[in-house]
Amino acid sequence: MSAGNVILTGFMGSGKSTIGRILAKELNTYFIDTDNLIEYLENRSIKEIFEKEGEESFRKKERYCFEWIKNNVKNTVISVGGGFPVFIPEIKEAGVVIYLKVDFDDILKRMSEDEIAKRPLFQDIKKAKELFSKRDNIYRQLADYIIENRDIDETIKKIKGIIDAS
């Protein structure tokens, strides 16, 4: 793997964590999921943080996470929360950014009711779709590479090709 980090962005349910875990294993390196890291550090779920402290507090925790990653993490595959690049536009300072693009309807098909229930910003599907549209532009602008994530094996192959070329 090259000297830097690979950061996977995309909307909630786009496969960032799934792809990230597999990719890190194949590259024989580490994997960090920023949402899981925040839950671990806070000893509570993202949903609880949103309910008790609000989104602004959660975004501050994401910022802290970003600064730690930027200053301390190397040669790692990192999956970031769906809002991470929206609120931290300097995300490229921590590594190569790959946007895993998935259509909204495909995301809905992939996610179970339990997965939807644990995502605070997914409680109103209409609002989630509007959020998806807004964030799609941001993801595109901030990405070094955009990959349509339709097939796990094909997506991993494309990302490895990007890494090998760098």
Side-chain angles (χ1 to χ4, degrees):
M1 186 172 176
S2 68
N5 297 315
V6 174
I7 303 171
L8 304 176
T9 68
F11 201 67
M12 299 171 269
S14 63
K16 301 178 300 279
S17 296
T18 301
I19 296 291
R21 281 186 190 92
I22 296 167
L23 183 63
K25 188 174 184 177
E26 289 192 15
L27 295 173
N28 196 29
T29 192
Y30 299 102
F31 171 71
I32 294 174
D33 179 307
T34 60
D35 283 349
N36 289 347
L37 180 60
I38 291 167
E39 288 181 333
Y40 176 78
L41 293 171
E42 291 291 314
N43 196 29
R44 56 194 166 140
S45 70
I46 303 286
K47 187 174 182 177
E48 286 177 275
I49 295 168
F50 265 76
E51 287 171 353
K52 291 193 169 90
E53 297 178 31
E55 185 176 358
E56 187 178 334
S57 175
F58 175 72
R59 298 303 173 196
K60 286 180 183 172
K61 293 171 192 334
E62 276 188 323
R63 166 66 59 185
Y64 175 82
C65 193
F66 168 72
E67 294 298 332
W68 178 77
I69 287 169
K70 184 175 79 167
N71 295 315
N72 299 289
V73 176
K74 303 285 181 241
N75 301 317
T76 299
V77 177
I78 302 161
S79 164
V80 299
F84 198 102
V86 176
F87 295 92
I88 305 172
E90 65 276 21
I91 189 171
K92 287 183 183 185
E93 292 175 12
V96 173
V97 178
I98 299 174
Y99 170 27
L100 297 181
K101 173 99 176 81
V102 180
D103 292 330
F104 186 79
D105 291 336
D106 290 335
I107 288 172
L108 279 181
K109 289 175 194 168
R110 289 179 181 189
M111 291 172 52
S112 69
E113 285 183 30
D114 286 346
E115 287 176 301
I116 290 172
K118 77 175 193 174
R119 299 171 191 267
L121 297 178
F122 232 99
Q123 299 313 298
D124 179 329
I125 299 299
K126 186 180 176 195
K127 283 185 181 175
K129 190 168 188 170
E130 289 170 8
L131 189 62
F132 172 86
S133 297
K134 288 178 190 171
R135 287 186 176 177
D136 180 61
N137 274 339
I138 295 166
Y139 297 149
R140 287 174 189 274
Q141 289 171 10
L142 296 176
D144 293 303
Y145 302 95
I146 299 170
I147 295 176
E148 295 274 341
N149 184 20
R150 292 190 188 110
D151 176 80
I152 290 174
D153 294 333
E154 193 60 34
T155 297
I156 301 249
K157 185 177 171 184
K158 287 178 182 174
I159 295 171
K160 287 168 106 176
I162 290 166
I163 292 167
D164 289 344
S166 359

